[in-house]
Amino acid sequence: MKHFDAIVIGTGQAGPSLAARFAAVGKTVAIIERQKFGGTCVNTGCIPTKTLVASAYAIHTARRGAEYGFETSDMRVDMKRVKARKDAASARSNKGVEQWLRGTKNCTVIQGHARFQSPNAVIVNDEVLQAERVYINVGGRASVPGMPGVHDVPFLTNSSMMDIDFLPEHLIIVGGSYVGLEFAQMYRRFGSEVTIVEMGPRLIGREDEDISQAAREILHAEGINIRLNAKCISLAKRDGGVAVRMDCSEDAKEVSGTHVLLAVGRVPNTSDLGLERAGITTDQRGYIVVDDQLQTNVPGIWALGDCNGRGAFTHTSYNDYEIVADNLFNAEHRRVSDRIPAYALYIDPPLGRCGMTETEVKAEIRKSGRRALSVKYPMSKVSRAYEKGETQGLIKIAVDAETKQILGAAILGVGGDEAIHILLDAMYAKAPYTVIQRAMHIHPTVSEYLPTILAKLEPLT
Ligand SMILES: Cc1cc2nc3c(=O)[nH]c(=O)nc-3n(C[C@H](O)[C@H](O)[C@H](O)COP(=O)(O)OP(=O)(O)OC[C@H]3O[C@@H](n4cnc5c(N)ncnc54)[C@H](O)[C@@H]3O)c2cc1C
């Protein structure tokens, strides 16, 4: 049996930094990884998809060359080179994480599948490791729902999409949320026919209706087929490809394609971790239950990142690391509930989001009786967007009428993933929005419009 001061399970977005932090203060730490170093973001999530999005954007812009004053002839997309570019970006980070950990003094790197034997003992490769503190950073994977026919057809997930070095003739994407929309637009731009099949009445159903509608228009304008309200989805083999049926009746409407991608949510990697032997509680969906400082119900065991259900992003996982590390090493009292929701959807133009949606703000003011102001502004009036020839989308901001603090915002438009941080930082500073109106912003940018837009706030009813 080997003893360490801490054991970290998983090398996602929280584990490596935490292991390095322990090692830096002279503590011994073991970090265990069963697959690829860097986890989802590095290997099958953010980094490869955003690299593909960048290729797709360049191709799209080249196709629009005539609008910008140039001609391209005989443009061909080479999917092998697109994939090679993506692979290089992932490999850079994957190798970087591995080399960093292996080169860290006091840090023992173990490759294998970890399982709890007891609250402070973990087995990996038949070896038992023991530590007073154990940190779980096991992440999640694509959910494969038990829809009829799912095991009769070959299907793709965000992971197997990473191996594709050819152009699917017709890619059907089941799921019209964040992951599905990014793949839909990039493959359409690469040259595939693309159909999105979504169970709900609109795309990205957690966003406000006008944001959903604008995203739909952006994708529709590029020739992506969108099928909503597919209440009961089933899959079947069809003419060498696959058919996705939209309801469960005998004569169900269906769409046939060559490939199908399931993008219908994520599940945590917690069922094969021996959690029961450590007495760790999970919720009904398998997420590890944690308190506001990310400790599980078992003292000495913490869960960070996607597996705790408190966030599903790289930045939430990294923020989990910061909370745990600052509380332990700097005697701080950081809490998950102090963080403000923020994320981006990387279709083009991107959606940057922070705080509450307008729908949530309305529910909140109905409940609390507080008053709020809001504004909505089309990107077509933002001169930076016009100059770039990228005028799709809109900006929405809601503020508290009394404190003047920002409650939430959405920027669906060129630069939206960056400009949103102005509003997010004002929220963290608990500053009134008027601070933004007194700041001198750089011309020409999307951000310079925020003061003008805030001047148009009106009561939200
Ligand atoms: C297609 C896609 C695109 C995305 N794009 C973005 C984006 O643009 N921005 C963003 O913020 N987020 C994005 N995300 C989400 C982001 O990738 C995740 O939120 C993030 O990677 C979470 O990391 P994590 O630290 O929870 O764990 P993960 O990165 O999932 O890592 C967990 C690690 O633990 C290992 N592991 C699991 N079980 C065991 C075990 N028993 N023993 C040993 N090792 C184990 C796994 O092999 C894995 O390496 C995207 C996700 C997907 C699927």
Side-chain angles (χ1 to χ4, degrees):
M1 188 180 298
K2 284 193 178 155
H3 292 267
F4 295 90
D5 292 315
I7 295 171
V8 176
I9 307 175
T11 64
Q13 293 301 310
S17 299
L18 190 60
R21 191 83 174 256
F22 267 97
V25 296
K27 305 270 184 205
T28 56
V29 57
I31 186 160
I32 309 158
E33 174 53 58
R34 70 176 177 189
Q35 275 179 316
K36 291 187 175 171
F37 286 86
T40 308
C41 180
V42 165
N43 300 292
T44 59
C46 344
I47 290 180
T49 55
K50 267 78 263 182
T51 310
L52 293 170
V53 163
S55 289
Y57 177 78
I59 292 161
H60 179 69
T61 308
R63 281 205 191 99
R64 296 178 61 201
E67 291 173 48
Y68 294 93
F70 65 94
E71 298 295 334
T72 44
S73 58
D74 191 25
M75 218 187 77
R76 273 172 291 137
V77 178
D78 183 342
M79 287 304 291
K80 288 199 168 33
R81 283 167 63 191
V82 167
K83 177 176 179 291
R85 182 175 182 275
K86 180 270 294 175
D87 287 345
S90 281
R92 181 171 166 265
S93 295
N94 160 266
K95 286 201 180 72
V97 173
E98 180 170 6
Q99 282 165 5
W100 171 38
L101 291 172
R102 290 199 191 279
T104 298
K105 198 176 150 214
N106 301 325
C107 180
T108 302
V109 177
I110 302 170
Q111 284 206 268
H113 179 100
R115 276 190 186 79
F116 279 93
Q117 190 186 48
S118 70
N120 59 3
V122 167
I123 308 183
V124 53
N125 304 333
D126 296 328
E127 188 171 30
V128 180
L129 318 178
Q130 223 178 14
E132 247 175 67
R133 298 168 188 274
V134 182
Y135 298 91
I136 307 170
N137 179 217
V138 291
R141 61 186 186 280
S143 159
V144 178
M147 53 182 66
V150 71
H151 295 297
D152 302 336
V153 299
F155 61 81
L156 294 156
T157 65
N158 69 289
S159 297
S160 47
M161 283 300 285
M162 297 298 120
D163 301 328
I164 287 201
D165 64 354
F166 58 89
L167 191 68
E169 201 179 307
H170 183 176
L171 179 64
I172 305 175
I173 299 176
V174 179
S177 202
Y178 307 89
V179 171
L181 298 198
E182 291 182 6
F183 277 111
Q185 192 183 43
M186 74 173 83
Y187 271 85
R188 181 66 191 142
R189 290 178 170 192
F190 293 151
S192 295
E193 185 178 352
V194 173
T195 302
I196 300 172
V197 177
E198 163 59 40
M199 284 182 126
R202 57 194 175 91
L203 301 177
I204 42 172
R206 264 177 282 169
E207 303 299 334
D208 288 332
E209 272 191 56
D210 47 9
I211 296 289
S212 285
Q213 182 56 26
R216 182 180 175 171
E217 283 163 17
I218 288 164
L219 299 177
H220 180 73
E222 292 189 25
I224 295 170
N225 310 306
I226 298 166
R227 312 285 285 263
L228 303 172
N229 295 307
K231 291 280 171 259
C232 173
I233 297 173
S234 62
L235 308 177
K237 277 194 181 150
R238 191 75 79 242
D239 307 329
V242 55
V244 178
R245 295 164 74 92
M246 315 281 169
D247 64 58
C248 289
S249 61
E250 285 279 305
D251 55 349
K253 281 182 250 152
E254 65 174 46
V255 52
S256 298
T258 51
H259 296 80
V260 63
L261 162 64
L262 298 184
V264 283
R266 312 272 303 160
V267 288
N269 292 325
T270 52
S271 58
D272 52 6
L273 202 49
L275 292 178
E276 60 294 339
R277 271 177 271 155
I280 299 167
T281 307
T282 56
D283 69 12
Q284 281 174 341
R285 295 183 305 152
Y287 288 97
I288 299 172
V289 177
V290 289
D291 64 17
D292 215 10
Q293 300 199 324
L294 301 165
Q295 189 164 210
T296 67
N297 62 308
V298 179
I301 305 180
W302 288 258
L304 300 84
D306 286 12
C307 69
N308 66 24
R310 304 290 290 266
F313 299 99
T314 282
H315 44 276
T316 47
S317 180
Y318 189 78
N319 188 244
D320 283 359
Y321 145 68
E322 292 178 320
I323 290 168
V324 166
D326 280 348
N327 290 345
L328 182 65
F329 297 111
N330 299 341
E332 290 197 35
H333 296 283
R334 291 184 65 172
R335 297 173 307 179
V336 188
S337 53
D338 288 337
R339 76 181 171 212
I340 297 165
Y343 52 88
L345 161 65
Y346 290 93
I347 56 168
D348 168 42
L351 167 67
R353 279 267 303 110
C354 66
M356 289 188 264
T357 61
E358 190 183 294
T359 313
E360 288 166 343
V361 172
K362 279 184 179 164
E364 183 61 30
I365 57 181
R366 267 198 300 274
K367 201 169 76 186
S368 66
R370 293 182 74 86
R371 288 180 308 112
L373 309 173
S374 72
V375 60
K376 192 162 134 176
Y377 197 82
M379 285 302 289
S380 55
K381 288 194 181 170
V382 175
S383 58
R384 181 69 173 149
Y386 182 78
E387 290 149 11
K388 292 186 117 183
E390 301 181 32
T391 52
Q392 292 162 308
L394 68 154
I395 297 178
K396 297 179 72 175
I397 307 170
V399 306
D400 185 294
E402 274 118 70
T403 65
K404 296 189 168 53
Q405 287 177 16
I406 296 162
L407 299 172
I411 306 182
L412 173 60
V414 58
D417 52 333
E418 299 288 349
I420 196 73
H421 287 90
I422 292 173
L423 302 166
L424 180 62
D425 288 348
M427 289 178 80
Y428 273 108
K430 297 193 184 338
Y433 71 83
T434 46
V435 165
I436 296 173
Q437 291 182 305
R438 309 243 355 202
M440 182 188 74
H441 286 171
I442 295 164
H443 173 76
T445 56
V446 172
S447 307
E448 75 177 327
Y449 266 78
L450 294 176
T452 310
I453 295 169
L454 285 163
K456 297 178 189 303
L457 284 165
E458 285 182 358
L460 179 67
T461 48

